[in-house]
Amino acid sequence: LSSMATVPLDVMVAQIQQASQAGNKVSVWGTFLAQYRAGGLDAVAGFATRGFVFRCLHVSLTTVVIKTGTELVTDVLEKASSGDPKGRPAGV
């Protein structure tokens, strides 16, 4: 859901950060208006959702990696703090 909600903003940020725009002041509203003038609502929709599948895939994979990595790191830290290399609580 987060990738679907932020795709238009992500595309706009990518547009603003392009090397060809370096040093230029780029207006978000102006960019959308230019797209509308170039091809109407279809052009705006196509522009705002460019790379949607890849963005969703990126967000999904990042979420999986972060969740799995967090569990692994937490397990290692808990084992280290228990004093037992097998992960048993101290005093057991």
Side-chain angles (χ1 to χ4, degrees), residues 6-9 11-12 32 35 43-50 52 55:
T6 61
V7 164
L9 184 59
V11 171
M12 186 54 57
F32 277 115
Q35 291 296 319
V44 172
F47 173 75
T49 58
R50 187 176 299 153
F52 178 75
R55 291 174 196 278

Side-chain angles (χ1 to χ4, degrees), residues 8-83:
L9 184 59
D10 290 343
V11 171
M12 186 54 57
V13 168
Q15 183 76 17
I16 290 169
Q17 292 177 344
Q18 280 185 2
S20 63
Q21 300 294 335
N24 296 335
K25 191 170 186 174
V26 179
S27 163
V28 172
W29 183 246
T31 302
F32 277 115
L33 280 176
Q35 291 296 319
Y36 181 76
R37 288 186 194 116
L41 288 177
D42 288 338
V44 172
F47 173 75
T49 58
R50 187 176 299 153
F52 178 75
V53 172
F54 294 110
R55 291 174 196 278
C56 281
L57 183 63
H58 175 262
V59 169
S60 299
L61 290 176
T62 301
T63 301
V64 168
V65 168
I66 294 298
K67 286 182 79 169
T68 304
T70 300
E71 288 178 27
L72 293 173
V73 170
T74 302
D75 289 345
V76 167
L77 292 175
E78 285 177 351
K79 286 178 185 177
S81 68
S82 72

Side-chain angles (χ1 to χ4, degrees), residues 82 84 87-92:
S82 72
D84 183 6
R88 293 180 291 221
V92 175

